Amino acid sequence: MAPHANGTSAASGAVGGSAGEKTPLFTVESPDVVYTEDAIKTQYAYHTTEVTRTADNKFVAVPKAHAYDFKVDRKVGKVGMMLVGWGGNNGTTVTAGIIANRRGLVWDTREGKRAANYYGSVVMGSTIKLGTDKSGQEVNIPFHDMLPMVHPNDLVIGGWDISGLGLADSMDRACVLEPSLKELVRKEMAEMKPLPSIYYPDFIAANQEDRADNVIPGSKASWEHVEHLRKDIRDFKEQNGLDKVIVLWTANTERYADIITGVNDTADNLINAIKSGHEEVSPSTVFAVASILENAPFINGSPQNTFVPGAIQFAEKYNAFIGGDDFKSGQTKMKSALVDFLISAGIKLTSIASYNHLGNNDGKNLSSQKQFRSKEISKSNVVDDMVAANSVLYKEGEHPDHTVVIKYMPAVGDNKRALDEYYAEIFLGGHQTISIFNVCEDSLLASPLIIDLVVVAELMTRVSWKTKDAEEYKGFHSVLSVLSYMLKAPLTPPGTPVVNALAKQRGALTNIFRACIGLQPESDMTLEHKLF
Ligand SMILES: NC(=O)c1ccc[n+]([C@@H]2O[C@H](COP(=O)([O-])OP(=O)(O)OC[C@H]3O[C@@H](n4cnc5c(N)ncnc54)[C@H](O)[C@@H]3O)[C@@H](O)[C@H]2O)c1
Ligand SMILES: O=P([O-])([O-])O[C@@H]1[C@@H](O)[C@H](O)[C@@H](O)[C@H](O)[C@@H]1O
């Protein structure tokens, strides 16, 4: 690990191991799939059903097939992860977690020994059904083996924070990890120090000011800030011999930026607004612009509207990847699954009361109304698509009552208490009341999502597609809606629908991965077990 001297360029990282591709766990034998040393190329038939409404309000459904060629570059290369807010609870926890896994650490706790793992990461902790064997048994493989992906142990980690505290002291400040584990990673963590960052006080709670001792001069957007952050990314990449860098915002929740015509409504206006120091341009949007210009995918793990229309247009202009918003870690993940179950079971959900209190710095920042409002929006919109899809239960525009409450209670620290009540109408005037008390160790739930977001975003930089008659392959749309499963308020390409149903989000992720190796979506029909 290259030690990091104060004030020099990019923070040293937990340098990972080799970035070479491991031998694939499986191969697909098909005339439509070709493996070369550099790539996996597939010819894929994407089947949809086109529905039109007739004059008498009936529907006509027409099966359609679309031919796509997919290509996955097999060489992962050496990948860097730069976290904005590196010194925070999530930043320190994910860093310590990767070090612990890389070294295979085991530590003592009151309940006995615990070993490093990646539980809570869909990529590292879950499996995908590949198919069935000749006896009809399902064959499930580790998600991470589906396509060539960077291993989190190999990620080189760095980042920025307005707090200059080193990662070891920040880890102590976070109060998330067991002392026995902290001692095992302390030496490596102590070598890491966040780079100075941009700090525009109006965008986060005033109660954060006492942390801001590691800031780049200037309290509002400027092009110098963009160029400073661009240089940080380039330096980090060069000093660590990286092939690519993924930048992820896990800094404090910002207030929403007003969308102002002539300021942030188009790419050109946004760039001009930054150059003119417009006070409505947030630090997270400045980070997004700098990352786009460095062709570093930028992911927003917080709920604010970082991606104002001008930022999305700017990403499209440069064919750069962006994704967001707001890690979906505990209460909302549960909500998106439970609401999906209730409504798709024909149970009429009529009210959702979501309360939680927590005592970490995130909760402290959210105790300020403007920052809470950003979170309230991302936590409230998660049911919209599921409600809108069921016209049997809900009339046009009808939806369940839904309230979100967050309180800051320092005593409970990172161990958020979430209390939810789901109230529904059932058969013949009956009611069902579901009450959930959910203690989430928030940073231990969110940190694996950081890994998922970075690993999938990196993979998407190596996936391209074309239609049969096209000459060139190209990347997916700049807005990586494939990341939705990990996010509360999924950002989607302008004009496309937002899907929040958790099962649909996971299905999209796994079936796009299947398409990249020429396999049809997993339908779970198991006709082979029904038609005989
Ligand atoms: N379960 C979870 O922890 C969870 C779930 C969903 C979303 N989030 C979001 O993730 C973010 C981080 O959560 P956390 O618990 O790690 O919070 P935290 O307050 O512990 O960490 C945030 C860090 O960002 C730093 N920071 C603030 N402004 C900055 C800037 N302009 N540049 C660089 N650093 C800056 C702060 O100094 C702090 O160290 C929050 O926005 C939170 O809402 C967290
Ligand atoms: O992901 P989730 O558990 O639904 O939502 C969480 C909120 O309940 C919590 O108050 C907030 O501090 C976290 O950042 C996170 O957003």
Side-chain angles (χ1 to χ4, degrees):
M1 174 89 53
H4 172 69
N6 285 335
T8 61
S9 59
S12 64
V15 178
S18 70
E21 185 193 7
K22 62 185 182 184
T23 311
L25 177 64
F26 70 94
T27 50
V28 175
E29 284 190 1
S30 159
D32 296 329
V33 182
V34 174
Y35 289 84
T36 67
E37 187 183 337
D38 297 329
I40 304 168
K41 291 186 176 181
T42 63
Q43 295 182 318
Y44 182 77
Y46 172 53
H47 296 278
T48 62
T49 302
E50 186 179 273
V51 177
T52 50
R53 189 187 292 269
T54 62
D56 57 350
N57 237 359
K58 303 289 188 231
F59 297 107
V60 176
V62 179
K64 295 278 186 180
H66 314 263
Y68 289 115
D69 291 356
F70 288 114
K71 181 173 73 163
V72 179
D73 296 337
R74 302 178 73 175
K75 293 192 174 6
V76 173
K78 198 174 175 187
V79 181
M81 171 174 76
M82 293 191 84
L83 299 177
V84 189
W86 193 18
N89 282 30
N90 289 344
T92 52
T93 302
V94 72
T95 302
I98 288 172
I99 294 171
N101 275 283
R102 182 183 303 133
R103 290 173 44 199
L105 295 181
V106 177
W107 58 95
D108 268 327
T109 73
R110 285 179 298 180
E111 293 83 29
K113 292 193 182 301
R114 288 293 179 270
N117 63 55
Y118 281 118
Y119 297 169
S121 158
V122 71
V123 171
M124 300 304 294
S126 83
T127 60
I128 292 180
K129 177 182 173 186
L130 183 60
T132 51
D133 64 21
K134 287 188 169 39
S135 70
Q137 290 307 309
E138 276 194 14
V139 176
N140 293 285
I141 63 167
F143 198 111
H144 192 259
D145 283 311
M146 202 59 192
L147 288 166
M149 294 184 220
V150 65
H151 194 291
N153 289 357
D154 295 332
L155 290 172
V156 177
I157 310 170
W160 304 263
D161 203 294
I162 56 174
S163 165
L165 216 53
L167 265 286
D169 294 334
S170 296
M171 174 177 62
D172 290 334
R173 175 177 62 185
C175 302
V176 172
L177 300 174
E178 292 274 0
S180 50
L181 169 57
K182 289 197 293 182
E183 288 324 301
L184 292 172
V185 300
R186 184 172 298 284
K187 184 173 180 297
E188 288 185 65
M189 298 284 278
E191 293 171 354
M192 301 176 185
K193 185 166 174 11
L195 290 164
S197 187
I198 54 176
Y199 172 53
Y200 310 163
D202 186 48
F203 278 91
I204 58 176
N207 62 34
Q208 297 298 309
E209 192 167 0
D210 58 359
R211 285 171 88 103
D213 60 5
N214 190 40
V215 299
I216 299 165
S219 60
K220 58 183 182 176
S222 70
W223 202 252
E224 289 70 22
H225 285 172
V226 170
E227 292 303 335
H228 186 116
L229 299 177
R230 290 186 66 184
K231 185 178 182 304
D232 286 345
I233 296 169
R234 286 197 303 272
D235 289 350
F236 185 73
K237 193 172 179 180
E238 185 185 334
Q239 287 166 358
N240 291 286
L242 301 175
D243 296 295
K244 69 192 75 165
V245 172
I246 314 289
V247 181
L248 183 141
W249 178 278
T250 183
N252 285 126
T253 294
E254 298 172 329
R255 68 168 174 80
Y256 259 51
D258 295 336
I259 305 304
I260 306 170
T261 301
V263 174
N264 50 22
D265 57 332
T266 68
D268 291 343
N269 288 339
L270 176 62
I271 300 312
N272 290 333
I274 293 173
K275 289 178 176 173
S276 63
H278 199 284
E279 70 280 358
E280 208 49 26
V281 180
S282 70
S284 61
T285 298
V286 169
F287 266 100
V289 166
S291 302
I292 288 164
L293 289 171
E294 291 304 317
N295 196 27
F298 182 82
I299 301 161
N300 176 28
S302 296
Q304 73 275 348
N305 63 337
T306 300
F307 303 119
V308 292
I312 295 175
Q313 200 178 76
F314 195 68
E316 291 172 330
K317 177 179 176 182
Y318 283 87
N319 293 318
F321 283 136
I322 57 176
D325 298 307
D326 206 8
F327 308 125
K328 182 164 59 190
S329 55
Q331 192 174 39
T332 303
K333 194 171 225 167
M334 183 86 73
K335 182 180 294 179
S336 61
L338 191 57
V339 170
D340 192 15
F341 138 55
L342 290 168
I343 293 178
S344 59
I347 293 173
K348 185 171 184 177
L349 187 60
T350 52
S351 86
I352 305 169
S354 273
Y355 163 91
N356 78 69
H357 64 262
L358 75 169
N360 59 19
N361 190 59
D362 180 24
K364 181 178 178 184
N365 181 61
L366 292 172
S367 66
S368 165
Q369 177 55 34
K370 284 184 176 179
Q371 285 65 37
F372 164 71
R373 181 60 188 142
S374 296
K375 189 66 75 171
E376 184 181 33
I377 291 168
S378 70
K379 286 176 71 78
S380 303
N381 294 348
V382 75
V383 303
D384 294 352
D385 59 317
M386 293 170 262
V387 170
N390 191 322
S391 59
V392 173
L393 296 177
Y394 301 97
K395 293 191 288 295
E396 182 80 23
E398 182 186 6
H399 51 78
D401 301 334
H402 191 177
T403 188
V404 171
V405 176
I406 297 175
K407 293 298 177 190
Y408 175 50
M409 304 278 272
V412 302
D414 206 68
N415 303 328
K416 175 185 71 198
R417 270 83 169 135
L419 294 91
D420 290 82
E421 183 195 84
Y422 294 81
Y423 190 57
E425 292 175 19
I426 59 177
F427 196 43
L428 300 182
H431 286 92
Q432 180 177 17
T433 303
I434 300 172
S435 294
I436 299 173
F437 179 64
N438 178 4
V439 178
C440 309
E441 296 188 324
D442 249 18
S443 300
L444 293 172
L445 284 172
S447 296
L449 301 181
I450 291 176
I451 290 167
D452 289 337
L453 288 162
V454 167
V455 169
V456 174
E458 188 284 325
L459 169 63
M460 295 309 292
T461 67
R462 291 181 285 112
V463 175
S464 52
W465 67 279
K466 73 181 187 68
T467 54
K468 281 253 168 294
D469 51 0
E471 285 299 311
E472 299 297 322
Y473 284 91
K474 62 181 184 178
F476 275 53
H477 185 276
S478 288
V479 178
L480 286 177
S481 54
V482 72
L483 300 175
S484 298
Y485 180 79
M486 286 75 83
L487 297 159
K488 288 197 198 64
L491 191 71
T492 62
T496 64
V498 175
V499 174
N500 273 299
L502 197 64
K504 284 185 180 179
Q505 292 174 330
R506 193 179 194 277
L509 189 62
T510 56
N511 287 322
I512 286 170
F513 283 17
R514 291 175 67 88
C516 289
I517 43 174
L519 298 178
Q520 281 300 311
E522 182 45 61
S523 69
D524 292 320
M525 293 164 69
T526 61
L527 290 182
E528 64 274 21
H529 300 155
K530 297 175 175 70
L531 306 179
F532 62 96

Short mmCIF file of all heavy atoms in Angstrom, two decimals, residues 407-429:
data_model
loop_
_atom_site.label_atom_id
_atom_site.label_comp_id
_atom_site.label_asym_id
_atom_site.label_seq_id
_atom_site.Cartn_x
_atom_site.Cartn_y
_atom_site.Cartn_z
N LYS A 407 -36.33 11.02 12.17
CA LYS A 407 -35.93 11.80 13.33
C LYS A 407 -34.49 11.48 13.69
O LYS A 407 -34.05 10.32 13.56
CB LYS A 407 -36.84 11.51 14.52
CG LYS A 407 -38.29 11.99 14.34
CD LYS A 407 -38.35 13.49 14.18
CE LYS A 407 -39.77 13.96 13.93
NZ LYS A 407 -39.80 15.39 13.53
N TYR A 408 -33.79 12.48 14.15
CA TYR A 408 -32.39 12.34 14.54
C TYR A 408 -32.31 12.07 16.03
O TYR A 408 -32.71 12.91 16.83
CB TYR A 408 -31.62 13.61 14.18
CG TYR A 408 -30.16 13.63 14.64
CD1 TYR A 408 -29.30 12.56 14.36
CD2 TYR A 408 -29.64 14.73 15.32
CE1 TYR A 408 -27.97 12.60 14.76
CE2 TYR A 408 -28.32 14.77 15.73
CZ TYR A 408 -27.48 13.70 15.45
OH TYR A 408 -26.16 13.75 15.85
N MET A 409 -31.85 10.89 16.38
CA MET A 409 -31.74 10.50 17.80
C MET A 409 -30.31 10.00 18.02
O MET A 409 -30.03 8.81 17.80
CB MET A 409 -32.75 9.40 18.13
CG MET A 409 -34.18 9.74 17.82
SD MET A 409 -34.89 10.72 19.12
CE MET A 409 -35.48 9.39 20.19
N PRO A 410 -29.39 10.86 18.41
CA PRO A 410 -27.97 10.48 18.49
C PRO A 410 -27.69 9.17 19.22
O PRO A 410 -26.82 8.40 18.82
CB PRO A 410 -27.34 11.67 19.21
CG PRO A 410 -28.24 12.82 18.90
CD PRO A 410 -29.63 12.25 18.84
N ALA A 411 -28.52 8.87 20.21
CA ALA A 411 -28.19 7.71 21.06
C ALA A 411 -28.10 6.40 20.28
O ALA A 411 -27.32 5.51 20.60
CB ALA A 411 -29.25 7.57 22.16
N VAL A 412 -28.88 6.25 19.21
CA VAL A 412 -28.90 4.94 18.52
C VAL A 412 -27.83 4.86 17.44
O VAL A 412 -27.64 3.81 16.82
CB VAL A 412 -30.29 4.64 17.92
CG1 VAL A 412 -31.36 4.65 18.99
CG2 VAL A 412 -30.64 5.61 16.80
N GLY A 413 -27.13 5.96 17.18
CA GLY A 413 -26.02 5.91 16.22
C GLY A 413 -26.45 5.41 14.86
O GLY A 413 -27.51 5.76 14.34
N ASP A 414 -25.65 4.49 14.30
CA ASP A 414 -25.88 4.00 12.94
C ASP A 414 -27.00 2.97 12.88
O ASP A 414 -27.40 2.53 11.81
CB ASP A 414 -24.58 3.37 12.42
CG ASP A 414 -24.47 3.41 10.90
OD1 ASP A 414 -24.33 4.50 10.34
OD2 ASP A 414 -24.58 2.33 10.28
N ASN A 415 -27.47 2.54 14.08
CA ASN A 415 -28.46 1.46 14.14
C ASN A 415 -29.87 2.03 14.06
O ASN A 415 -30.57 2.15 15.05
CB ASN A 415 -28.28 0.64 15.43
CG ASN A 415 -26.86 0.08 15.52
OD1 ASN A 415 -26.27 -0.23 14.49
ND2 ASN A 415 -26.32 0.02 16.71
N LYS A 416 -30.24 2.34 12.82
CA LYS A 416 -31.53 3.01 12.57
C LYS A 416 -32.68 2.11 12.98
O LYS A 416 -32.67 0.91 12.69
CB LYS A 416 -31.63 3.30 11.07
CG LYS A 416 -32.95 3.89 10.62
CD LYS A 416 -32.98 4.04 9.13
CE LYS A 416 -33.09 2.69 8.46
NZ LYS A 416 -32.72 2.74 7.05
N ARG A 417 -33.67 2.72 13.65
CA ARG A 417 -34.90 2.00 13.98
C ARG A 417 -35.96 2.41 12.97
O ARG A 417 -36.32 3.58 12.91
CB ARG A 417 -35.39 2.38 15.37
CG ARG A 417 -34.84 1.50 16.43
CD ARG A 417 -33.44 1.94 16.86
NE ARG A 417 -33.04 1.23 18.06
CZ ARG A 417 -31.85 0.68 18.27
NH1 ARG A 417 -30.91 0.77 17.34
NH2 ARG A 417 -31.57 0.04 19.38
N ALA A 418 -36.47 1.48 12.19
CA ALA A 418 -37.50 1.78 11.18
C ALA A 418 -38.79 1.11 11.61
O ALA A 418 -38.82 -0.09 11.91
CB ALA A 418 -37.07 1.26 9.81
N LEU A 419 -39.83 1.90 11.72
CA LEU A 419 -41.16 1.36 12.06
C LEU A 419 -42.11 1.69 10.91
O LEU A 419 -42.26 2.84 10.53
CB LEU A 419 -41.69 1.99 13.35
CG LEU A 419 -40.94 1.66 14.63
CD1 LEU A 419 -39.84 2.68 14.90
CD2 LEU A 419 -41.90 1.63 15.82
N ASP A 420 -42.71 0.66 10.37
CA ASP A 420 -43.61 0.83 9.23
C ASP A 420 -44.96 0.21 9.52
O ASP A 420 -45.02 -0.85 10.15
CB ASP A 420 -43.04 0.14 7.98
CG ASP A 420 -41.81 0.87 7.44
OD1 ASP A 420 -40.71 0.65 7.97
OD2 ASP A 420 -41.99 1.69 6.52
N GLU A 421 -46.01 0.86 9.05
CA GLU A 421 -47.33 0.23 9.09
C GLU A 421 -47.94 0.26 7.69
O GLU A 421 -47.99 1.32 7.05
CB GLU A 421 -48.28 0.93 10.05
CG GLU A 421 -49.63 0.22 10.13
CD GLU A 421 -50.71 1.05 10.77
OE1 GLU A 421 -51.33 1.87 10.05
OE2 GLU A 421 -50.90 0.89 12.00
N TYR A 422 -48.34 -0.91 7.22
CA TYR A 422 -49.01 -1.04 5.92
C TYR A 422 -50.45 -1.43 6.21
O TYR A 422 -50.70 -2.43 6.89
CB TYR A 422 -48.33 -2.11 5.07
CG TYR A 422 -46.92 -1.74 4.67
CD1 TYR A 422 -45.85 -1.91 5.56
CD2 TYR A 422 -46.65 -1.16 3.43
CE1 TYR A 422 -44.56 -1.54 5.20
CE2 TYR A 422 -45.36 -0.79 3.08
CZ TYR A 422 -44.33 -0.99 3.97
OH TYR A 422 -43.05 -0.61 3.64
N TYR A 423 -51.37 -0.65 5.69
CA TYR A 423 -52.79 -0.88 5.96
C TYR A 423 -53.49 -1.13 4.64
O TYR A 423 -53.29 -0.37 3.68
CB TYR A 423 -53.38 0.35 6.66
CG TYR A 423 -54.77 0.18 7.20
CD1 TYR A 423 -55.07 -0.83 8.11
CD2 TYR A 423 -55.80 1.03 6.79
CE1 TYR A 423 -56.35 -0.98 8.62
CE2 TYR A 423 -57.08 0.90 7.29
CZ TYR A 423 -57.35 -0.11 8.21
OH TYR A 423 -58.62 -0.26 8.72
N ALA A 424 -54.26 -2.21 4.55
CA ALA A 424 -54.83 -2.58 3.24
C ALA A 424 -56.26 -3.05 3.37
O ALA A 424 -56.66 -3.59 4.41
CB ALA A 424 -53.98 -3.69 2.64
N GLU A 425 -57.01 -2.87 2.31
CA GLU A 425 -58.37 -3.42 2.21
C GLU A 425 -58.28 -4.81 1.59
O GLU A 425 -57.57 -5.01 0.60
CB GLU A 425 -59.25 -2.52 1.33
CG GLU A 425 -59.54 -1.17 1.96
CD GLU A 425 -60.32 -0.27 0.99
OE1 GLU A 425 -60.92 -0.82 0.03
OE2 GLU A 425 -60.29 0.96 1.18
N ILE A 426 -59.01 -5.75 2.17
CA ILE A 426 -59.01 -7.11 1.64
C ILE A 426 -60.45 -7.53 1.36
O ILE A 426 -61.37 -6.71 1.40
CB ILE A 426 -58.30 -8.08 2.62
CG1 ILE A 426 -58.97 -8.09 3.98
CG2 ILE A 426 -56.83 -7.70 2.75
CD1 ILE A 426 -58.35 -9.07 4.96
N PHE A 427 -60.68 -8.77 1.14
CA PHE A 427 -61.95 -9.34 0.70
C PHE A 427 -63.13 -8.91 1.58
O PHE A 427 -62.99 -8.83 2.81
CB PHE A 427 -61.79 -10.87 0.76
CG PHE A 427 -62.83 -11.65 0.02
CD1 PHE A 427 -63.26 -11.27 -1.25
CD2 PHE A 427 -63.37 -12.79 0.60
CE1 PHE A 427 -64.21 -12.01 -1.93
CE2 PHE A 427 -64.31 -13.54 -0.09
CZ PHE A 427 -64.74 -13.15 -1.35
N LEU A 428 -64.21 -8.50 0.95
CA LEU A 428 -65.50 -8.27 1.64
C LEU A 428 -65.37 -7.29 2.80
O LEU A 428 -65.89 -7.52 3.89
CB LEU A 428 -66.08 -9.62 2.13
CG LEU A 428 -66.38 -10.65 1.03
CD1 LEU A 428 -66.99 -11.92 1.65
CD2 LEU A 428 -67.32 -10.07 -0.02
N GLY A 429 -64.62 -6.20 2.57
CA GLY A 429 -64.57 -5.13 3.58
C GLY A 429 -63.61 -5.38 4.72
O GLY A 429 -63.55 -4.61 5.67
#
